[in-house]
Amino acid sequence: MDHYPLAKAQRSGDALAVESSNDAKMPSFRVALRFWLKLGLISFGGPAGQIAIMHRELVDERRWISEQHFLNALNFSMLLPGPEAQQLATYLGWRLHGVRGGIAAGGLFVLPAMILLFGLCLVFVLGGELPWLAAIFKGLQAAVMAIVTHALLKIGRRSLRSLFLVLIAIAAFVAIFVFKISFVWIILGAGMLGYLGSQLLARQFPSHGKISDGSVESSFLKLPPPPRASFLRTLKIIGVGTPLWVFPILLFGLVLGWDSTLAQEAIFFSKASMVTFGGAYAVLPYVAQQAVEVHGWLDHLQMMSGLALAETTPGPLVIVLQFVGFMGGWNHPGNWSPWLAAAVGSLVTCWATFVPCFMFIFIGGPHVEGLSQQPRISAALGAITAAVVGVIANLAAILGIHALWPVGGSFELGLLVLAIVAFIALQFF
C-alpha cells in the first residue's frame, strides 16, 4: 500500500543500514520488530507512562525520530478517537517501515496486554483475589511515576517556549484535573488560541517547531518521505479496512442473531471506537454505564475489578474493554459454553476497538509532517503540544494519587522514596 524506495534499495537480508550524514541509521524491520515487542511488554503506566517510554527510547536513545516529529505525531494522535499511545506507536512504526511497520507496532503494543489480561480474566472468574499481583506491581508504580515526571520535565522544557504556552499548559491541567472538562474541548481550545495567537502575538505563539538547533536535529535519523495523500489512496485503505472491521458484526449478527450478546458487543464497541476521544479515562464512564446499566453484561463491582486488572497490564488502559467483552460472554453465553463465549467476546471486543485505529493512522499519516510547515497550523500544533503537557501532567497526577494514597489505605511513604530514587537515576545517571 505504501512504498519506501530508499529503504527498499538499501535492504540487504536482515540489515537495513541506510547511511547518511545522520548519526542514526535506519533500523532493519527485524530490529524494529524487537523494539515494538519490547515496548508492548514494558508499556505500563497508562498513556503518560507509555508516551514517556517511547520518547525516551525513540528520541533520546535510538534517535530514530526527531523531537519535533515526535511532538507533531503526538499532537495528531491526541486528536483522533481511540488510545493515543497505541496510535502514536502505530504512526511511528508506519513512518519507519510503512504499513507493515505500523501494523507491527500497533499490534504488538496491544497483543501482550491482551494475552495477559485474558489470563487474569480466567483467574478472576475462578475466584482469585490476586494479592500477589498487586505486590509485584507495587514497585513498578514507582518506576512509572519517575519515568512520567522525567518525561514531563524534558518535553516541557523543549515545547513550552513562551509565557503563553506555559499558561496554556497550566490552564489545561487545571481544566481537566479540577473542572473535569473534556479533553476534546481542551485540545480544540488550545488549537484555536494558537491559530489566532500566531497573528496577534507571534512571539508568544512561534509558528515553527524548531526546538533545537540544526546540528542536534541532523543527528536524528532522516526518514524517507511519506507517501503522498490522495483520494485513491484513502479509498484503498477504507476499502480494505472497513470490511475487516465490520466482518465480525455481520458474522455474529447473521449466525447468532442481532440480539445475541456477541453481536451486540461487536456493534457497541465498534460505535465506541468512533467516539473515544480523550483516552480511556474519558470513555470509561460511558462504557460502564452502557455495559452495566443498559446491556447488563456485568455489574458495577465487576467493572471496577476489570479496571484494576487492566491497570496491572502493559498496553493501553482501554484494554479494560476486553474484560467487559469477556464478562459479557461469560455471563450471557447463549447456546455456547461460558468459556467459549467469554473467549470470543474478548477477541471481538478487541477487534472492534483497535482495528479502526490503524485506519485512522494510515489515512491521516501523510498529513502529519506537512501540517507543521504551515505557519498558522504550526502555531496551533505548538499550542496543542502545550496543552498536551498539561494533560499528561494530569494523568501523572492521577497515577501518583492512586499509587501513593490507595483507597482505604495509608500514605505509601516507601513507594514515594522509591519513586524519588528512580527519578534521580533517570535524571542524572
Side-chain angles (χ1 to χ4, degrees), residues 265-280:
E265 286 182 339
I267 294 171
F268 172 73
F269 288 110
S270 292
K271 291 191 295 185
S273 68
M274 302 297 291
V275 297
T276 53
F277 293 94

Side-chain angles (χ1 to χ4, degrees), residues 28 34 37 48 64 81-82 109 151 191 221 254 316-317 376 379 403 416-417 425:
S28 70
R34 286 200 296 267
L37 177 58
W64 292 352
F109 192 86
L221 175 66
L254 295 174
L317 181 57
R376 292 188 182 184
L416 177 61
V417 172

Side-chain angles (χ1 to χ4, degrees), residues 72-196:
N72 288 343
L74 177 59
N75 290 334
F76 174 65
S77 301
M78 286 284 197
L79 293 173
L80 297 174
E84 58 268 33
Q86 188 254 355
Q87 293 182 129
L88 175 62
T90 302
Y91 172 82
L92 297 176
W94 172 76
R95 280 301 282 117
L96 286 168
H97 294 104
V99 167
R100 65 172 181 162
I103 293 174
L108 290 175
F109 192 86
V110 174
L111 187 59
M114 283 179 57
I115 296 172
L116 179 57
L117 185 56
F118 184 79
L120 295 178
C121 289
L122 294 178
V123 174
F124 176 80
V125 296
L126 293 175
E129 297 298 328
L130 307 177
W132 54 271
L133 194 63
I136 289 175
F137 286 99
K138 181 66 71 174
L140 185 61
Q141 291 175 350
V144 169
M145 285 190 287
I147 291 172
V148 171
T149 304
H150 180 261
L152 273 176
L153 293 176
K154 182 180 289 289
I155 295 175
R157 280 197 301 266
R158 297 181 181 182
S159 58
L160 304 181
R161 292 165 289 142
S162 71
L163 176 61
F164 271 63
L165 293 179
V166 172
L167 293 176
I168 287 176
I170 294 173
F173 174 80
V174 173
I176 196 169
F177 186 80
V178 178
F179 297 105
K180 311 302 179 186
I181 295 175
S182 169
F183 168 80
V184 178
W185 294 114
I186 292 173
I187 294 302
L188 288 176
M192 186 63 69
L193 279 175
Y195 188 85
L196 297 176

Side-chain angles (χ1 to χ4, degrees), residues 4 32 35-36 39 51 54-55 58-59 64-66 69-71 73-74 77 85-98 101-102 105 223 361:
Y4 293 96
F35 168 73
W36 297 123
L39 179 65
I51 291 168
M54 279 188 277
H55 183 273
L58 295 176
V59 177
W64 292 352
I65 303 293
S66 73
H69 193 170
F70 184 90
L71 292 176
L74 177 59
S77 301
Q86 188 254 355
Q87 293 182 129
L88 175 62
T90 302
Y91 172 82
L92 297 176
W94 172 76
R95 280 301 282 117
L96 286 168
H97 294 104
L223 296 172
I361 291 296

